[in-house]
């Protein structure tokens, strides 16, 4: 459940040598762009512009091309996210079992809309389409932890585990 | 291998992980140690056993006794009573809903009794992290047989005769696809496994990879030999971290033992597999989009032909099959085409795995012969609807599928029968809805999904789905007009005929089937401003004006 905060800039600076290592491995190989973006997002929890500029140099592609690919995939984010990511499943099984109510509840509770991040950067709230726990719908993913059969009144307890 | 007096198999599929199986596993291991049984009793973590809503689960072999809804506190009884004293623990067993009596053996519980497991033959029964478990159940024997004793033509003939069809949705004959890719002249060639599993409400492929990853790797190597490829890729969605981890492990182990790598079984054949991780675009499940994504590009579909068998990954001939399709193949090679063709119907051979979800008692993963009546899936295996709820529709095939009304509850579930009523088998999501689901809102839900996921490349899909969605939203808000229904149908047929890829071509299905079977509910929304399921917030639940039938 530990999920260190990586979004404030002092920490970010320290990560750039790691970015260089990733890029070195795939230098001049645009076919590996998505792999590289995954690695970078893993480091920062989003794709900082400065890192993408390095990717552009390293893989030999324009920043424009990179943006075109990154923006196509919903997994990638160009803006910093909260320390913890909440993803409410709105796949069919979860929809049928009231996933929408969980979303509405969380929106109220955290005072953010889907896609947003709380002011204190503690949580980001997003929807996902199925995390494969359909038998135990509705499901909510917090970072990598799956919560099954979530009821609106269980939400508070779940959130309290993440600082 | 070491022989054990007993084995405790704790399900560690993603469903049971979320129900807390890790604590149960640790507690059992601890108790076994306490009682000095560590050398006699083996405790392992397996993949999904299927009955996820009964989790956390433990199966004790050799007796085959299943314990459900476990907590760490139950470990003491299982170890002391069952494993030490030989007295199975009745209070932790499944109870027959009709009689209330405990059923000890897994195989006697209806949910398991009526299934036929080919794809899931190892799921829940082996430790997916241990290649020896797979080997003990004839793992990599099919690859050995193919490499040492069969020609590519013989493999293709076996697959054609088995009647296996692609399980990723379209149902194309697998043997023919292998034949075309085999015949393509250009080299190099590639083998790709589609593990994108984008249909919301479906988790068959995830469970196969989490529970029995080697079966997929073995089949891909067989495919490589057959079509003449030395490199394979598994394209798997990023939302499945556990599956990615287990697959990575499995590939490493297979390389170590030389089931992947150079000169496999001394046959001179080389084959290796790499993982490519998706990034959250549903359309990337479509084969041409998937290949573009492996190449590091935006996952946009392109027109076919040329088919991937001729011009696929990096412009080279590529065989692309679904996870479940592959998982069938080692069993077919070992048991023969005739054995496989005995299951299923005339044109739909073998079994199909379904993910049962929604308003049903037993949710989880089940595998049944093709052609099994929908009734058996819902009522016999699924245990019927949740208490006091009335069946409304069975939704198959996700956003490209249809809603089956109660009047077809006895329909055999196979490619042909479902196509006849406008639904599809699809990848295997089977979601049961009750009277609390508003059919118009359900159609809106799917249309919103496809509209969100449309890659935007062709106007019929990009604009058409948007128009449909607007009309559906209007109806759910009580602003619909009767002409809207004809307008919807017209838009639907238009998109079906003109969209470039399967996403657009099938997007209208949920709307068309609900219009066909539940038109009265649409009309209630439009004429009476009434939503009988009480889902559409601006409408009333009670009938205002009675509609004439
Ligand atoms: C929009 C769309 C999404 C698809 N998603 C998947 C998927 O998630 N998994 C899959 O195996 N096939 C999917 N398919 C089908 C593939 O294009 C392809 O037919 C399949 O992978 C072939 O394998 P098979 O013959 O073994 O079924 C999808 C098709 C479309 C049009
Ligand atoms: S049908 Fe839809 S998803 Fe497919 S290519 Fe056209 S716009 Fe893209
Ligand atoms: S639909 Fe929510 S987990 Fe599958
Ligand atoms: S995950 Fe344990 S039974 Fe499905």
């Amino acid at each position: 459940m530990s999920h260190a905060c990586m979004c404030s800039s002092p920490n970010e600076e320290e990560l750039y040598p790691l970015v260089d290592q990733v890029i070195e491995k795939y230098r001049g190989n645009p076919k590996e762009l998505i792999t590289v973006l995954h690695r970078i997002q893993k480091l920062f929890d989003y794709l900082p512009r400065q890192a993408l500029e390095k990717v552009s140099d390293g893989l030999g592609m324009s920043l424009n091309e990179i943006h075109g690919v990154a923006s196509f995939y919903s997994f990638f984010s160009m803006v910093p996210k909260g320390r913890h990511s909440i993803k409410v499943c709105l796949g069919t099984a979860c929809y049928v079992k009231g996933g929408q109510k969980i979303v509405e509840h969380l929106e109220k509770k955290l005072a953010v809309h889907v896609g947003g991040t709380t002011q204190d950067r503690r949580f980001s709230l997003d929807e996902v389409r199925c995390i494969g726990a359909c038998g135990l719908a509705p499901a909510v993913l917090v970072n990598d932890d799956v919560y099954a059969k979530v009821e609106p009144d269980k939400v508070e307890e779940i959130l309290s585990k993440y600082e | 291998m070491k022989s054990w007096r007993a084995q405790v198999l704790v399900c560690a599929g993603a469903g049971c992980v979320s129900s807390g199986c890790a604590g149960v596993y640790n507690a059992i291991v601890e108790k076994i140690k306490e009682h000095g049984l560590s050398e006699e009793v083996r405790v392992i973590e397996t993949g999904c056993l299927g009955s996820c809503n009964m989790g956390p689960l433990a199966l004790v072999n050799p007796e085959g006794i299943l314990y459900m809804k476990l907590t760490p506190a139950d470990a003491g009884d299982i170890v002391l009573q069952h494993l030490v004293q030989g007295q199975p623990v009745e209070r932790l067993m499944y109870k027959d809903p009709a009689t209330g009596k405990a059923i000890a053996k897994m195989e006697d519980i209806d949910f398991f009794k009526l299934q036929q497991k080919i794809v899931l033959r190892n799921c829940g029964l082996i430790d997916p992290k241990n290649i020896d478990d797979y080997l003990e159940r004839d793992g990599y024997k099919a690859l050995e047989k193919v490499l040492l004793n069969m020609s590519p033509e013989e493999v293709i003939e076996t697959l054609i005769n088995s009647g296996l069809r692609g399980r990723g949705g379209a149902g194309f004959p697998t043997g023919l696809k292998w034949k075309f890719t085999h015949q393509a002249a250009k080299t190099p060639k590639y083998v790709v496994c589609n593990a994108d599993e984008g249909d919301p409400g479906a988790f068959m492929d995830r469970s196969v990879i989490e529970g029995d990853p080697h079966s997929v790797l073995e089949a891909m190597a067989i495919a490589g030999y057959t079509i003449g490829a030395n490199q394979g890729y598994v394209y798997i969605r990023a939302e499945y971290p556990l599956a990615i981890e287990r697959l990575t492990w499995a590939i490493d182990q297979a390389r170590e033992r030389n089931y992947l790598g150079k000169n496999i079984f001394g046959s001179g054949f080389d084959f290796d597999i790499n993982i490519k991780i998706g990034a959250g675009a549903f359309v990337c499940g479509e084969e041409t989009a998937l290949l573009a994504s492996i190449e590091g590009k935006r996952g946009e579909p392109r027109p076919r032909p040329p088919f991937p068998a001729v011009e696929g990954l990096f412009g080279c001939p590529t065989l692309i099959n679904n996870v479940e399709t592959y998982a069938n193949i080692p069993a077919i090679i070992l048991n023969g085409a005739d054995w496989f063709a005995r299951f299923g119907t005339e044109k739909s051979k073998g079994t199909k795995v379904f993910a049962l979800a929604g308003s049903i008692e037993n949710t989880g993963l089940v595998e049944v012969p093709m052609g099994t009546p929908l009734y058996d899936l819902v009522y016999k295996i699924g245990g019927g609807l949740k208490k006091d709820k009335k069946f409304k529709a069975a939704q198959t095939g996700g956003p490209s599928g249809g809603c089956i009304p109660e009047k077809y509850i006895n329909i055999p579930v196979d490619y042909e029968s479902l196509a006849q009523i406008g639904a599809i088998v699809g990848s295997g999501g089977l979601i049961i809805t009750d009277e609390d689901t508003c059919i118009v809102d359900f159609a809106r839900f799917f249309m919103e999904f496809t509209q969100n996921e449309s890659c935007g490349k062709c106007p019929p899909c990009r604009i058409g789905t948007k128009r449909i969605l607007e009309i559906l939203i209007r109806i759910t808000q009580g602003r619909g007009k009767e002409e809207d229904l004809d307008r919807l149908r017209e838009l639907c047929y238009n998109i079906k005929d003109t969209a470039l890829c399967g996403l657009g071509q099938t997007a209208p299905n949920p709307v068309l089937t609900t219009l066909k079977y539940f038109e009265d509910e649409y009309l209630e929304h439009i004429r009476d401003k009434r939503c009988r399921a009480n889902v559409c917030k601006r409408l009333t639940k009670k009938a205002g004006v009675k509609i004439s039938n």
Side-chain angles (χ1 to χ4, degrees), chain A residues 30-35 38 68-69 71-76 90-93 95-97 104 129-136 144 146 148-149, chain B residues 15 18-19 52 200-201 203 206 237-238 276-280 284 293 295-299 314 357-358 363 431 441-442 445-446 449 452 537:
Chain A
K31 287 193 280 248
E32 296 294 344
L33 174 61
I34 294 174
T35 312
H38 268 301
V69 172
S71 61
F72 182 83
Y73 295 98
S74 65
F75 201 80
F76 298 127
L90 281 187
T92 323
Y95 164 80
V96 166
K97 294 286 212 133
E104 285 161 18
R129 305 290 186 166
C130 194
I131 49 175
C134 328
L136 300 167
D144 280 339
V146 179
K149 296 190 183 168
Chain B
S18 65
S19 318
C52 311
F203 56 104
R206 193 206 67 193
R237 61 200 302 245
K276 285 280 177 178
I277 299 175
C284 284
S293 184
E295 293 171 4
K297 303 180 192 145
R298 290 164 68 96
F314 310 123
T363 52
I431 290 170
D441 188 59
F442 204 34
F445 166 81
F446 283 116
F449 179 92
N452 260 325
K537 294 204 177 86

Coordinates of all heavy atoms in Angstrom, one line a residue, chain A residues 30-35 38 68-69 71-76 90-93 95-97 104 129-136 144 146 148-149, chain B residues 15 18-19 52 200-201 203 206 237-238 276-280 284 293 295-299 314 357-358 363 431 441-442 445-446 449 452 537:
Chain A
P30 N 12.0 3.8 -32.3 CA 10.7 4.3 -32.1 C 9.6 3.2 -31.9 O 8.6 3.5 -31.3 CB 10.4 5.1 -33.4 CG 11.5 4.9 -34.3 CD 12.6 4.1 -33.7
K31 N 9.9 2.0 -32.3 CA 8.9 0.9 -32.1 C 8.7 0.7 -30.6 O 7.7 0.1 -30.2 CB 9.4 -0.4 -32.7 CG 9.4 -0.3 -34.2 CD 9.6 -1.7 -34.8 CE 11.0 -2.1 -34.9 NZ 11.7 -2.2 -36.2
E32 N 9.6 1.1 -29.8 CA 9.5 0.8 -28.4 C 8.9 2.0 -27.6 O 9.0 2.1 -26.4 CB 10.9 0.4 -27.8 CG 11.4 -0.9 -28.3 CD 10.6 -2.1 -27.9 OE1 9.7 -2.0 -27.0 OE2 10.7 -3.1 -28.6
L33 N 8.3 3.0 -28.4 CA 7.8 4.2 -27.7 C 6.9 3.9 -26.6 O 7.0 4.5 -25.5 CB 7.1 5.1 -28.8 CG 6.4 6.3 -28.2 CD1 7.4 7.2 -27.5 CD2 5.7 7.1 -29.3
I34 N 5.9 3.0 -26.8 CA 4.9 2.7 -25.7 C 5.6 2.1 -24.5 O 5.3 2.5 -23.4 CB 3.8 1.9 -26.3 CG1 3.0 2.7 -27.4 CG2 2.8 1.4 -25.2 CD1 1.9 1.9 -28.1
T35 N 6.5 1.2 -24.7 CA 7.3 0.6 -23.6 C 8.0 1.7 -22.8 O 7.9 1.8 -21.6 CB 8.3 -0.4 -24.2 OG1 7.7 -1.2 -25.1 CG2 8.9 -1.2 -23.0
H38 N 5.5 3.8 -20.8 CA 5.1 3.0 -19.6 C 6.1 3.2 -18.5 O 5.8 3.4 -17.3 CB 5.0 1.5 -19.9 CG 3.6 1.1 -20.3 ND1 2.5 1.2 -19.5 CD2 3.1 0.5 -21.4 CE1 1.4 0.8 -20.1 NE2 1.8 0.3 -21.3
G68 N 1.0 12.5 -30.0 CA -0.1 11.8 -30.8 C -0.3 10.4 -30.2 O -1.4 10.0 -30.1
V69 N 0.8 9.7 -29.9 CA 0.6 8.4 -29.4 C 0.2 8.4 -27.9 O -0.8 7.8 -27.5 CB 2.0 7.6 -29.5 CG1 1.9 6.3 -28.8 CG2 2.3 7.4 -31.0
S71 N -1.4 10.6 -26.3 CA -2.8 11.1 -26.0 C -3.9 10.1 -26.5 O -5.0 10.1 -26.1 CB -3.1 12.4 -26.7 OG -2.9 12.3 -28.1
F72 N -3.4 9.2 -27.4 CA -4.4 8.1 -27.9 C -4.8 7.1 -26.8 O -5.9 6.6 -26.7 CB -3.7 7.4 -29.0 CG -4.6 6.4 -29.7 CD1 -5.5 6.7 -30.6 CD2 -4.5 5.0 -29.3 CE1 -6.4 5.8 -31.2 CE2 -5.4 4.1 -29.8 CZ -6.3 4.4 -30.8
Y73 N -3.8 6.9 -25.9 CA -4.0 5.8 -24.9 C -4.4 6.4 -23.5 O -3.7 7.3 -23.0 CB -2.7 5.0 -24.7 CG -2.4 4.3 -26.0 CD1 -1.4 4.7 -26.9 CD2 -3.0 3.0 -26.2 CE1 -1.1 4.0 -28.0 CE2 -2.6 2.3 -27.4 CZ -1.7 2.8 -28.3 OH -1.4 2.1 -29.4
S74 N -5.6 5.9 -23.0 CA -6.1 6.5 -21.8 C -5.2 6.3 -20.6 O -5.3 7.0 -19.6 CB -7.5 6.0 -21.5 OG -7.5 4.6 -21.2
F75 N -4.3 5.3 -20.7 CA -3.5 5.0 -19.5 C -2.5 6.1 -19.2 O -2.0 6.2 -18.1 CB -2.7 3.7 -19.9 CG -2.2 3.0 -18.7 CD1 -3.1 2.2 -17.9 CD2 -0.9 3.0 -18.3 CE1 -2.6 1.5 -16.8 CE2 -0.4 2.4 -17.2 CZ -1.3 1.6 -16.4
F76 N -2.1 6.8 -20.3 CA -1.1 7.8 -20.1 C -1.7 9.2 -19.7 O -2.7 9.6 -20.2 CB -0.2 8.0 -21.4 CG 0.5 6.8 -21.7 CD1 0.4 6.2 -23.0 CD2 1.3 6.1 -20.8 CE1 1.1 5.0 -23.3 CE2 2.0 5.0 -21.1 CZ 1.9 4.4 -22.4
L90 N -16.5 1.0 -14.1 CA -17.8 1.1 -14.7 C -18.0 0.2 -15.9 O -18.6 0.6 -16.9 CB -18.1 2.6 -15.0 CG -18.4 3.5 -13.9 CD1 -18.8 4.9 -14.4 CD2 -19.6 2.9 -13.1
G91 N -17.4 -1.0 -15.8 CA -17.6 -2.0 -16.8 C -19.0 -2.5 -16.6 O -19.7 -2.1 -15.6
T92 N -19.5 -3.4 -17.5 CA -20.9 -3.7 -17.5 C -21.3 -4.3 -16.2 O -22.4 -4.0 -15.6 CB -21.2 -4.7 -18.6 OG1 -20.4 -4.4 -19.7 CG2 -22.6 -4.7 -19.0
A93 N -20.5 -5.3 -15.6 CA -21.0 -6.0 -14.4 C -21.1 -5.0 -13.3 O -22.0 -5.0 -12.5 CB -20.0 -7.1 -14.1
Y95 N -21.5 -1.7 -13.6 CA -22.5 -0.8 -13.9 C -23.9 -1.4 -13.4 O -24.7 -0.7 -12.7 CB -22.6 -0.5 -15.4 CG -23.9 0.1 -15.8 CD1 -24.1 1.5 -15.7 CD2 -24.9 -0.7 -16.4 CE1 -25.3 2.0 -16.1 CE2 -26.1 -0.1 -16.8 CZ -26.3 1.2 -16.6 OH -27.4 1.8 -17.0
V96 N -24.1 -2.7 -13.7 CA -25.4 -3.3 -13.3 C -25.5 -3.4 -11.8 O -26.6 -3.3 -11.3 CB -25.4 -4.8 -14.0 CG1 -26.5 -5.6 -13.3 CG2 -25.6 -4.7 -15.5
K97 N -24.3 -3.5 -11.1 CA -24.4 -3.6 -9.7 C -24.2 -2.3 -8.9 O -23.8 -2.3 -7.8 CB -23.3 -4.6 -9.2 CG -23.5 -6.0 -9.7 CD -24.6 -6.6 -8.9 CE -24.4 -8.1 -8.7 NZ -24.6 -8.6 -7.4
E104 N -20.6 8.6 -7.9 CA -21.3 9.8 -7.4 C -20.9 10.1 -5.9 O -20.7 11.2 -5.5 CB -22.8 9.7 -7.5 CG -23.3 9.9 -9.0 CD -24.6 9.3 -9.3 OE1 -25.4 9.1 -8.3 OE2 -24.9 9.1 -10.5
R129 N -12.9 0.8 -17.3 CA -13.8 -0.2 -17.9 C -13.4 -1.6 -17.6 O -12.7 -2.1 -18.4 CB -13.9 0.1 -19.4 CG -14.3 1.5 -19.7 CD -15.7 1.8 -19.4 NE -16.0 3.2 -19.8 CZ -17.3 3.6 -19.9 NH1 -18.3 2.8 -19.5 NH2 -17.6 4.8 -20.3
C130 N -13.7 -2.1 -16.5 CA -13.4 -3.5 -16.1 C -12.0 -3.7 -15.7 O -11.0 -3.5 -16.4 CB -13.8 -4.5 -17.3 SG -13.8 -6.2 -16.7
I131 N -11.9 -4.2 -14.5 CA -10.6 -4.6 -14.0 C -10.5 -6.1 -13.8 O -9.7 -6.7 -13.1 CB -10.2 -3.9 -12.7 CG1 -11.3 -3.9 -11.7 CG2 -9.8 -2.4 -13.0 CD1 -11.0 -3.3 -10.4
G132 N -11.6 -6.8 -14.3 CA -11.5 -8.3 -14.3 C -12.0 -8.9 -13.0 O -11.8 -10.0 -12.7
A133 N -12.6 -8.1 -12.1 CA -13.2 -8.6 -10.9 C -14.7 -8.6 -11.0 O -15.4 -8.5 -10.0 CB -12.7 -7.8 -9.7
C134 N -15.2 -8.9 -12.2 CA -16.6 -8.7 -12.5 C -17.5 -9.6 -11.6 O -18.7 -9.2 -11.3 CB -16.9 -9.0 -13.9 SG -15.6 -8.7 -15.0
G135 N -17.0 -10.7 -11.2 CA -17.8 -11.6 -10.3 C -18.1 -11.0 -9.0 O -18.9 -11.5 -8.3
L136 N -17.3 -10.0 -8.6 CA -17.4 -9.4 -7.3 C -17.7 -7.9 -7.4 O -17.3 -7.1 -6.7 CB -16.1 -9.6 -6.5 CG -15.7 -11.1 -6.3 CD1 -14.3 -11.2 -5.9 CD2 -16.6 -11.7 -5.4
D144 N -2.8 -0.3 -6.5 CA -2.9 -1.6 -7.1 C -3.8 -2.5 -6.2 O -3.9 -3.7 -6.5 CB -1.5 -2.3 -7.1 CG -0.8 -1.8 -8.3 OD1 -1.4 -1.3 -9.3 OD2 0.5 -1.9 -8.4
V146 N -7.3 -4.1 -5.1 CA -8.7 -4.2 -5.6 C -9.7 -4.3 -4.5 O -9.5 -5.2 -3.6 CB -8.8 -5.5 -6.5 CG1 -10.3 -5.6 -7.0 CG2 -7.9 -5.4 -7.7
A148 N -13.6 -5.3 -3.6 CA -14.7 -5.9 -4.3 C -16.0 -5.6 -3.5 O -15.9 -5.3 -2.3 CB -14.5 -7.4 -4.4
K149 N -17.1 -5.8 -4.2 CA -18.4 -5.6 -3.6 C -18.5 -4.3 -2.7 O -18.8 -4.4 -1.5 CB -18.8 -6.8 -2.7 CG -18.9 -8.1 -3.6 CD -19.5 -9.2 -2.8 CE -19.6 -10.5 -3.6 NZ -19.9 -11.6 -2.8
Chain B
G15 N -9.9 -12.4 -8.1 CA -11.2 -12.3 -7.4 C -10.9 -12.6 -5.9 O -11.3 -11.8 -5.0
S18 N -8.9 -10.1 -3.9 CA -9.7 -8.9 -3.4 C -10.6 -9.4 -2.2 O -11.0 -8.6 -1.4 CB -10.5 -8.3 -4.5 OG -11.5 -9.1 -4.9
S19 N -10.8 -10.7 -2.1 CA -11.6 -11.1 -0.9 C -10.7 -11.5 0.2 O -11.1 -12.0 1.3 CB -12.4 -12.4 -1.3 OG -13.0 -12.3 -2.5
C52 N -15.9 -17.4 -8.0 CA -15.2 -16.2 -7.3 C -16.1 -15.7 -6.1 O -15.6 -15.2 -5.1 CB -14.9 -15.1 -8.2 SG -14.1 -15.6 -9.7
P200 N -15.9 -5.1 -21.3 CA -16.1 -5.0 -19.9 C -17.0 -6.1 -19.4 O -18.0 -6.4 -20.1 CB -16.8 -3.6 -19.7 CG -17.4 -3.3 -21.1 CD -16.5 -4.0 -22.1
G201 N -16.7 -6.7 -18.3 CA -17.6 -7.8 -17.8 C -17.0 -9.2 -18.2 O -17.7 -10.2 -18.0
F203 N -13.6 -11.8 -18.1 CA -12.3 -12.0 -17.5 C -11.8 -13.4 -17.7 O -11.1 -13.9 -16.8 CB -12.3 -11.6 -16.0 CG -13.3 -12.3 -15.1 CD1 -12.9 -13.3 -14.3 CD2 -14.6 -11.9 -15.2 CE1 -13.9 -14.0 -13.5 CE2 -15.6 -12.6 -14.4 CZ -15.2 -13.6 -13.5
R206 N -7.9 -13.3 -18.7 CA -7.1 -13.0 -17.5 C -6.9 -14.2 -16.6 O -5.8 -14.5 -16.1 CB -7.8 -11.9 -16.7 CG -6.9 -11.3 -15.6 CD -7.7 -10.7 -14.5 NE -8.3 -11.8 -13.7 CZ -9.3 -11.6 -12.8 NH1 -9.7 -10.4 -12.6 NH2 -9.8 -12.6 -12.2
R237 N -3.3 -6.4 -21.6 CA -3.7 -5.0 -21.1 C -3.0 -4.7 -19.8 O -2.8 -5.5 -18.9 CB -5.2 -4.9 -21.0 CG -5.9 -5.9 -20.1 CD -7.4 -6.0 -20.5 NE -8.0 -4.7 -20.4 CZ -9.0 -4.4 -19.6 NH1 -9.4 -5.3 -18.7 NH2 -9.5 -3.2 -19.6
A238 N -2.8 -3.4 -19.6 CA -2.1 -2.9 -18.5 C -2.9 -3.0 -17.2 O -2.4 -3.0 -16.1 CB -1.7 -1.4 -18.7
K276 N 4.1 -7.5 -24.6 CA 3.8 -6.1 -24.9 C 2.6 -5.6 -24.1 O 1.6 -6.3 -24.1 CB 3.5 -5.9 -26.4 CG 4.8 -6.0 -27.3 CD 5.5 -4.7 -27.2 CE 6.8 -4.9 -28.0 NZ 7.6 -3.6 -28.0
I277 N 2.8 -4.5 -23.4 CA 1.7 -4.1 -22.5 C 0.9 -3.0 -23.2 O 1.4 -2.0 -23.7 CB 2.3 -3.6 -21.2 CG1 3.0 -4.8 -20.5 CG2 1.2 -3.1 -20.2 CD1 3.8 -4.5 -19.3
G278 N -0.4 -3.2 -23.1 CA -1.4 -2.2 -23.7 C -1.4 -1.0 -22.9 O -0.8 -0.9 -21.8
A279 N -2.2 0.0 -23.3 CA -2.2 1.3 -22.6 C -3.6 1.8 -22.5 O -3.8 3.1 -22.5 CB -1.2 2.2 -23.2
G280 N -4.6 0.9 -22.4 CA -6.0 1.4 -22.1 C -6.7 2.0 -23.3 O -7.3 3.0 -23.2
C284 N -7.7 -1.4 -29.4 CA -6.5 -2.1 -29.6 C -6.7 -3.6 -29.5 O -5.8 -4.4 -29.8 CB -5.4 -1.7 -28.6 SG -4.7 -0.2 -29.0
S293 N -0.3 -1.1 -32.4 CA 0.1 -0.7 -31.0 C 1.4 -1.4 -30.6 O 2.3 -0.8 -30.0 CB -1.0 -1.1 -30.1 OG -0.7 -0.7 -28.8
E295 N 3.7 -2.0 -32.6 CA 4.8 -1.3 -33.4 C 5.0 0.1 -32.8 O 5.8 0.9 -33.3 CB 4.3 -1.1 -34.8 CG 4.3 -2.4 -35.6 CD 3.7 -2.3 -37.0 OE1 3.3 -1.2 -37.4 OE2 3.5 -3.3 -37.7
G296 N 4.4 0.4 -31.6 CA 4.6 1.6 -30.9 C 3.8 2.8 -31.4 O 4.1 3.9 -31.1
K297 N 2.8 2.5 -32.2 CA 2.0 3.6 -32.8 C 0.6 3.8 -32.1 O 0.3 3.0 -31.3 CB 1.8 3.3 -34.3 CG 3.0 3.1 -35.1 CD 2.6 2.9 -36.5 CE 3.8 2.4 -37.3 NZ 3.4 1.4 -38.4
R298 N -0.1 4.8 -32.6 CA -1.5 4.9 -32.2 C -2.2 3.7 -32.6 O -2.0 3.2 -33.8 CB -2.2 6.1 -32.9 CG -1.7 7.4 -32.4 CD -2.1 8.5 -33.3 NE -3.5 8.8 -33.4 CZ -4.1 9.7 -32.7 NH1 -3.4 10.5 -31.9 NH2 -5.4 9.9 -32.8
G299 N -3.1 3.1 -31.8 CA -3.8 1.9 -32.1 C -5.0 2.1 -33.0 O -6.1 1.9 -32.5
F314 N 4.9 -5.4 -38.5 CA 6.1 -4.9 -39.3 C 5.9 -5.3 -40.8 O 6.9 -5.6 -41.5 CB 7.4 -5.4 -38.8 CG 7.5 -5.2 -37.3 CD1 7.8 -6.3 -36.4 CD2 7.4 -4.0 -36.7 CE1 7.9 -6.1 -35.0 CE2 7.5 -3.8 -35.3 CZ 7.8 -4.8 -34.5
A357 N -21.8 -12.8 -14.6 CA -21.8 -11.7 -13.6 C -23.2 -11.0 -13.6 O -24.1 -11.4 -14.4 CB -20.7 -10.7 -14.0
G358 N -23.3 -10.0 -12.8 CA -24.6 -9.3 -12.7 C -25.5 -9.9 -11.6 O -25.0 -10.4 -10.6
T363 N -21.7 -16.0 -9.2 CA -20.9 -15.3 -10.3 C -19.5 -16.0 -10.3 O -19.1 -16.6 -9.4 CB -20.7 -13.8 -9.9 OG1 -20.2 -13.8 -8.6 CG2 -22.0 -13.1 -9.9
I431 N -23.8 -11.3 -18.8 CA -24.2 -10.5 -17.7 C -25.8 -10.6 -17.6 O -26.5 -10.3 -18.5 CB -23.7 -9.1 -17.8 CG1 -22.2 -9.1 -17.6 CG2 -24.4 -8.1 -16.8 CD1 -21.5 -7.9 -17.9
D441 N -31.5 2.8 -20.5 CA -30.2 3.3 -19.9 C -29.1 2.3 -20.2 O -27.9 2.7 -20.3 CB -30.4 3.5 -18.4 CG -29.2 4.1 -17.8 OD1 -28.9 5.3 -18.2 OD2 -28.6 3.5 -16.9
F442 N -29.4 1.0 -20.2 CA -28.4 0.0 -20.5 C -27.9 0.2 -21.9 O -26.7 0.1 -22.2 CB -29.1 -1.4 -20.4 CG -28.2 -2.5 -20.1 CD1 -27.0 -2.4 -19.3 CD2 -28.4 -3.8 -20.6 CE1 -26.2 -3.5 -19.0 CE2 -27.6 -4.9 -20.4 CZ -26.5 -4.7 -19.6
F445 N -25.7 3.1 -21.9 CA -24.4 2.7 -21.3 C -23.4 2.2 -22.3 O -22.3 2.6 -22.4 CB -24.6 1.7 -20.2 CG -23.4 1.0 -19.7 CD1 -22.5 1.6 -18.8 CD2 -23.1 -0.3 -20.2 CE1 -21.4 1.0 -18.4 CE2 -21.9 -0.9 -19.7 CZ -21.1 -0.3 -18.8
F446 N -23.9 1.2 -23.1 CA -23.0 0.6 -24.1 C -22.6 1.6 -25.2 O -21.5 1.6 -25.7 CB -23.7 -0.6 -24.8 CG -23.7 -1.8 -23.9 CD1 -24.8 -2.4 -23.4 CD2 -22.4 -2.4 -23.5 CE1 -24.8 -3.5 -22.5 CE2 -22.4 -3.5 -22.7 CZ -23.6 -4.0 -22.2
F449 N -20.0 3.8 -24.0 CA -18.7 3.1 -24.1 C -18.1 3.1 -25.5 O -17.0 3.5 -25.6 CB -19.0 1.6 -23.6 CG -17.7 0.8 -23.7 CD1 -16.9 0.6 -22.6 CD2 -17.3 0.1 -24.8 CE1 -15.8 -0.1 -22.6 CE2 -16.2 -0.7 -24.9 CZ -15.4 -0.8 -23.8
N452 N -17.0 6.5 -26.5 CA -15.8 6.9 -25.9 C -14.6 6.2 -26.5 O -13.5 6.8 -26.6 CB -15.8 6.4 -24.4 CG -16.1 7.5 -23.5 OD1 -15.7 8.7 -23.7 ND2 -16.9 7.2 -22.5
K537 N -33.5 9.3 -13.7 CA -33.9 10.2 -12.6 C -35.0 11.2 -12.9 O -35.8 11.5 -12.0 CB -32.7 10.9 -12.0 CG -31.7 10.0 -11.5 CD -30.8 10.7 -10.5 CE -29.8 9.7 -9.9 NZ -28.6 9.6 -10.7

